[in-house]
Amino acid sequence: MPDERMTGQRIAAAEQKLATLALAEQERDDSHFWTGEYYNEGMDGSFDKLKEECGVFGVFGHEEAAALSFYGLHALQHRGEESAGICTTVDGSDFFIHKGMGLVKEVFDNDRIASLKGSTAIGHVRYSTSGASLIANAQPLHFQFRHGHIAIATNGNIVNAEEIREELEEAGSIFQTTSDTEVLVHLIARARGIPMEDAVKPALQKVSGGYAFLIMVNDKLVVARDPHGLRPLAMGTIDGAYVFASETCAFETIGAEYLRDIEPGEMLVFDKDGGMQTDRIAPIERRAICAMEYIYFSRPDSDLDGINLHAARKRMGVQLAKESFVDADVVTGVPDSSISAAIGFAEQTGIPYELGMIKNRYTGRTFIQPSQELRERGVKMKLSAVRKVVEGKRVVMIDDSIVRGTTSLRIVKMLRDAGAKEVHVRISSPPYANPCFYGIDTPSRGDLIASSHTVEEIRRAIDADSLHFLSKDGLLSAIGRVPGEYNRGMCTGCFDNDYPTRVPADADSCGC
Ligand code: SF4
């Protein structure tokens, strides 16, 4: 129902804001265009999308550790495309590292891979969530100390990094990067009276946040996941060696067998004799894997805690249809991440699913940007409507989230320009109203349209004929992790402001 309290002034302000943001999007430098599998910046929404955090991949005990890491990281490219890196060691005394800005295939070639010797490797793809987009912040980070080497790759964010960093700097530490991950390295290296390997656990116990760490300390590999299990981390095996990845799709790519997910708060230590010790950083307080991994971040062919992402997204579409049926002629999903939910919506309603939008996958980093005038005349680089599918039709358009609202406005307009008679927008997640503090790059609260607008206000601002978001209860039951036990088992902080850890009280973004 329309919100009668809404004033014309507020709507006008929302529309003005959307127009300003859309202009900012057009004016952005194009140097960060993503050539990866999912979204590109701009028309199809990566400017208006939450940015994946990072991806990690590790190998212990395989002669082709670097090559396996290359292929594993390539499978995780959608989690970070700004930089890529691999660090290896033969015996814990010589470390080899290469990293660079760009995609995995741009950073590495055969010669580079061949130069990374050893049977232990950790690798990383990065989108900067904490620390600037600089080569110095590209991971793995590697440090040599009096007592040996530490190399570290992480996915996530340390919420109390600034606090710890100030303490360490006061005590004389000199930081080489602006990355939050470096605080953990200093905590490990400063431990007195114990070997560095033994200092990892107490260091992990001092940091708070959402993380998956792969840490090489001399000849040992330490694998750890935060006590809430906010960020995913899985373990597999190939040829008797262990492999680790943010997502199971990386195991499929290299032909490894999935063994299990690392438990929240679990720490595994692998030593050169092939031994694996399991330990805990902390007891599981409240399992809270990131709901957005299920909605949008992870690849549809990955499984998280045993749940396949495509299947979960399809169930979200089914649930969305149950909650917000609308009489229409065709259902379409914004490619690629919303297609599974659109199929579920179509199956539940009986309205045919059609490919109403096509994404151009060949938008590279260096294409010529259309001028403002050409833009206004409708030149579209990345997403196009299929006119024959939508013309004269009542269209249900499924998307996975609305962040600022700019992209939804432009997609609705694109469908209308292609002749759609009605455009009904259905979102397979609840309104995204609060920032994330666990490694997802979100705009500040003020730029999240759902933080200050009702659903009806958003509908009017994006010019849709109707708009519905999936309810939080519907989302949790569709994912199926903990039926009937809401807010246990899953982080939903960005929807309901209920975070599993202490977060900065006055922060309106994570500072990413
Ligand atoms: S706040 Fe949202 S994006 Fe961040 S970890 Fe929680 S569910 Fe994921």
Side-chain angles (χ1 to χ4, degrees), residues 50 230-231 289-293 297 432 434-438 440 491-495 499-500:
L50 304 165
L230 277 149
R231 301 265 69 90
I289 190 167
C290 169
M292 285 303 296
E293 291 282 356
F297 295 135
Y432 196 104
N434 307 287
C436 175
F437 298 91
Y438 307 118
I440 306 301
C491 175
T492 50
C494 47
F495 307 127
Y499 298 97

Short mmCIF file of all heavy atoms in Angstrom, two decimals, residues 50 230-231 289-293 297 432 434-438 440 491-495 499-500, ligand 1:
data_model
loop_
_atom_site.label_atom_id
_atom_site.label_comp_id
_atom_site.label_asym_id
_atom_site.label_seq_id
_atom_site.Cartn_x
_atom_site.Cartn_y
_atom_site.Cartn_z
N LEU A 50 26.82 -4.31 -4.49
CA LEU A 50 27.78 -4.51 -3.42
C LEU A 50 28.97 -5.20 -4.05
O LEU A 50 28.81 -6.04 -4.92
CB LEU A 50 27.16 -5.41 -2.35
CG LEU A 50 25.85 -4.84 -1.82
CD1 LEU A 50 25.10 -5.91 -1.04
CD2 LEU A 50 26.12 -3.64 -0.94
N LEU A 230 31.37 -16.01 9.47
CA LEU A 230 30.78 -15.00 8.57
C LEU A 230 31.23 -15.20 7.13
O LEU A 230 30.44 -15.09 6.21
CB LEU A 230 31.18 -13.60 9.05
CG LEU A 230 30.30 -13.04 10.16
CD1 LEU A 230 31.07 -12.11 11.07
CD2 LEU A 230 29.10 -12.32 9.58
N ARG A 231 32.52 -15.44 6.95
CA ARG A 231 33.04 -15.62 5.60
C ARG A 231 33.26 -17.11 5.36
O ARG A 231 33.66 -17.84 6.27
CB ARG A 231 34.36 -14.85 5.43
CG ARG A 231 34.22 -13.36 5.68
CD ARG A 231 33.98 -12.55 4.41
NE ARG A 231 32.70 -12.76 3.77
CZ ARG A 231 31.59 -12.05 4.02
NH1 ARG A 231 31.59 -11.11 4.90
NH2 ARG A 231 30.48 -12.29 3.37
N ILE A 289 26.79 -17.10 9.05
CA ILE A 289 27.35 -16.93 7.71
C ILE A 289 26.61 -15.81 6.99
O ILE A 289 25.41 -15.59 7.22
CB ILE A 289 27.32 -18.26 6.92
CG1 ILE A 289 28.14 -18.12 5.63
CG2 ILE A 289 25.90 -18.71 6.63
CD1 ILE A 289 28.44 -19.44 4.95
N CYS A 290 27.32 -15.11 6.15
CA CYS A 290 26.78 -13.93 5.45
C CYS A 290 25.62 -14.33 4.52
O CYS A 290 25.78 -15.14 3.61
CB CYS A 290 27.90 -13.33 4.62
SG CYS A 290 27.38 -12.09 3.44
N ALA A 291 24.45 -13.73 4.75
CA ALA A 291 23.29 -14.05 3.91
C ALA A 291 23.52 -13.62 2.46
O ALA A 291 23.01 -14.26 1.53
CB ALA A 291 22.04 -13.35 4.46
N MET A 292 24.31 -12.56 2.26
CA MET A 292 24.52 -12.08 0.89
C MET A 292 25.35 -13.05 0.06
O MET A 292 25.31 -13.01 -1.16
CB MET A 292 25.19 -10.69 0.90
CG MET A 292 24.28 -9.55 1.29
SD MET A 292 22.78 -9.36 0.28
CE MET A 292 23.44 -8.95 -1.33
N GLU A 293 26.10 -13.94 0.73
CA GLU A 293 26.80 -14.97 -0.04
C GLU A 293 25.77 -15.83 -0.77
O GLU A 293 25.97 -16.22 -1.91
CB GLU A 293 27.65 -15.87 0.88
CG GLU A 293 28.85 -15.19 1.50
CD GLU A 293 30.04 -15.05 0.55
OE1 GLU A 293 29.98 -15.54 -0.58
OE2 GLU A 293 31.02 -14.41 0.98
N PHE A 297 26.74 -13.04 -3.73
CA PHE A 297 28.18 -13.05 -3.93
C PHE A 297 28.71 -14.32 -4.56
O PHE A 297 29.51 -14.29 -5.48
CB PHE A 297 28.91 -12.82 -2.61
CG PHE A 297 28.66 -11.47 -2.02
CD1 PHE A 297 28.38 -11.33 -0.67
CD2 PHE A 297 28.70 -10.34 -2.81
CE1 PHE A 297 28.14 -10.08 -0.13
CE2 PHE A 297 28.45 -9.09 -2.28
CZ PHE A 297 28.17 -8.96 -0.93
N TYR A 432 18.12 -3.56 1.63
CA TYR A 432 19.50 -3.46 2.14
C TYR A 432 19.65 -2.07 2.74
O TYR A 432 19.89 -1.08 2.05
CB TYR A 432 20.48 -3.67 0.98
CG TYR A 432 21.89 -3.96 1.43
CD1 TYR A 432 22.40 -5.25 1.37
CD2 TYR A 432 22.71 -2.96 1.92
CE1 TYR A 432 23.70 -5.53 1.79
CE2 TYR A 432 24.01 -3.23 2.34
CZ TYR A 432 24.49 -4.52 2.27
OH TYR A 432 25.77 -4.80 2.68
N ASN A 434 21.51 -1.22 5.83
CA ASN A 434 22.60 -0.95 6.78
C ASN A 434 23.93 -1.39 6.18
O ASN A 434 23.98 -2.36 5.42
CB ASN A 434 22.38 -1.74 8.08
CG ASN A 434 21.00 -1.49 8.65
OD1 ASN A 434 20.74 -0.42 9.17
ND2 ASN A 434 20.11 -2.46 8.52
N PRO A 435 25.02 -0.71 6.55
CA PRO A 435 26.32 -1.09 5.99
C PRO A 435 26.83 -2.42 6.53
O PRO A 435 26.38 -2.88 7.58
CB PRO A 435 27.24 0.06 6.42
CG PRO A 435 26.59 0.67 7.59
CD PRO A 435 25.11 0.45 7.45
N CYS A 436 27.77 -3.00 5.81
CA CYS A 436 28.41 -4.23 6.26
C CYS A 436 29.76 -3.89 6.87
O CYS A 436 30.46 -3.01 6.37
CB CYS A 436 28.61 -5.17 5.07
SG CYS A 436 29.52 -6.67 5.52
N PHE A 437 30.14 -4.59 7.92
CA PHE A 437 31.44 -4.36 8.57
C PHE A 437 32.37 -5.56 8.41
O PHE A 437 33.40 -5.64 9.05
CB PHE A 437 31.24 -4.06 10.06
CG PHE A 437 30.44 -2.80 10.30
CD1 PHE A 437 29.06 -2.86 10.41
CD2 PHE A 437 31.06 -1.57 10.35
CE1 PHE A 437 28.31 -1.71 10.60
CE2 PHE A 437 30.33 -0.41 10.54
CZ PHE A 437 28.95 -0.47 10.66
N TYR A 438 31.96 -6.51 7.58
CA TYR A 438 32.69 -7.78 7.53
C TYR A 438 33.30 -8.07 6.16
O TYR A 438 33.34 -9.20 5.72
CB TYR A 438 31.75 -8.92 7.94
CG TYR A 438 31.08 -8.67 9.27
CD1 TYR A 438 29.70 -8.57 9.36
CD2 TYR A 438 31.84 -8.50 10.42
CE1 TYR A 438 29.08 -8.33 10.58
CE2 TYR A 438 31.24 -8.24 11.64
CZ TYR A 438 29.87 -8.16 11.71
OH TYR A 438 29.26 -7.90 12.92
N ILE A 440 32.47 -6.54 3.08
CA ILE A 440 31.72 -6.23 1.86
C ILE A 440 31.74 -4.72 1.69
O ILE A 440 31.45 -3.98 2.63
CB ILE A 440 30.25 -6.69 1.98
CG1 ILE A 440 30.18 -8.17 2.36
CG2 ILE A 440 29.50 -6.41 0.68
CD1 ILE A 440 30.85 -9.09 1.41
N CYS A 491 24.06 -14.26 9.23
CA CYS A 491 24.14 -12.82 9.46
C CYS A 491 23.13 -12.14 8.55
O CYS A 491 23.08 -12.41 7.35
CB CYS A 491 25.54 -12.29 9.16
SG CYS A 491 25.63 -10.49 9.30
N THR A 492 22.34 -11.25 9.13
CA THR A 492 21.39 -10.46 8.35
C THR A 492 21.53 -8.98 8.72
O THR A 492 20.58 -8.21 8.61
CB THR A 492 19.94 -10.94 8.62
OG1 THR A 492 19.75 -11.01 10.05
CG2 THR A 492 19.67 -12.29 8.02
N GLY A 493 22.73 -8.60 9.18
CA GLY A 493 22.95 -7.25 9.70
C GLY A 493 22.58 -6.15 8.73
O GLY A 493 22.06 -5.11 9.14
N CYS A 494 22.85 -6.37 7.45
CA CYS A 494 22.57 -5.29 6.49
C CYS A 494 21.07 -5.12 6.26
O CYS A 494 20.64 -4.09 5.74
CB CYS A 494 23.31 -5.53 5.18
SG CYS A 494 23.16 -7.19 4.57
N PHE A 495 20.28 -6.11 6.65
CA PHE A 495 18.83 -5.99 6.51
C PHE A 495 18.17 -5.48 7.79
O PHE A 495 17.22 -4.71 7.77
CB PHE A 495 18.21 -7.34 6.15
CG PHE A 495 18.85 -7.99 4.95
CD1 PHE A 495 19.31 -9.29 5.01
CD2 PHE A 495 18.99 -7.29 3.76
CE1 PHE A 495 19.92 -9.88 3.91
CE2 PHE A 495 19.59 -7.86 2.67
CZ PHE A 495 20.06 -9.17 2.74
N TYR A 499 23.88 -7.23 14.07
CA TYR A 499 25.19 -7.76 13.70
C TYR A 499 25.66 -8.79 14.72
O TYR A 499 25.40 -8.62 15.92
CB TYR A 499 26.21 -6.62 13.61
CG TYR A 499 25.88 -5.58 12.58
CD1 TYR A 499 25.22 -4.40 12.93
CD2 TYR A 499 26.21 -5.76 11.24
CE1 TYR A 499 24.91 -3.43 11.98
CE2 TYR A 499 25.91 -4.80 10.28
CZ TYR A 499 25.26 -3.64 10.66
OH TYR A 499 24.96 -2.69 9.72
N PRO A 500 26.37 -9.80 14.27
CA PRO A 500 26.81 -10.83 15.23
C PRO A 500 27.97 -10.41 16.12
O PRO A 500 28.27 -11.10 17.08
CB PRO A 500 27.22 -11.99 14.32
CG PRO A 500 27.50 -11.39 12.99
CD PRO A 500 26.64 -10.18 12.88
S1 SF4 B 1 26.07 -7.41 7.12
FE1 SF4 B 1 25.11 -8.25 5.24
S2 SF4 B 1 26.77 -8.31 3.71
FE2 SF4 B 1 27.74 -8.07 5.75
S3 SF4 B 1 28.21 -10.16 6.44
FE3 SF4 B 1 26.20 -9.62 7.26
S4 SF4 B 1 24.74 -10.39 5.70
FE4 SF4 B 1 26.75 -10.30 4.73
#
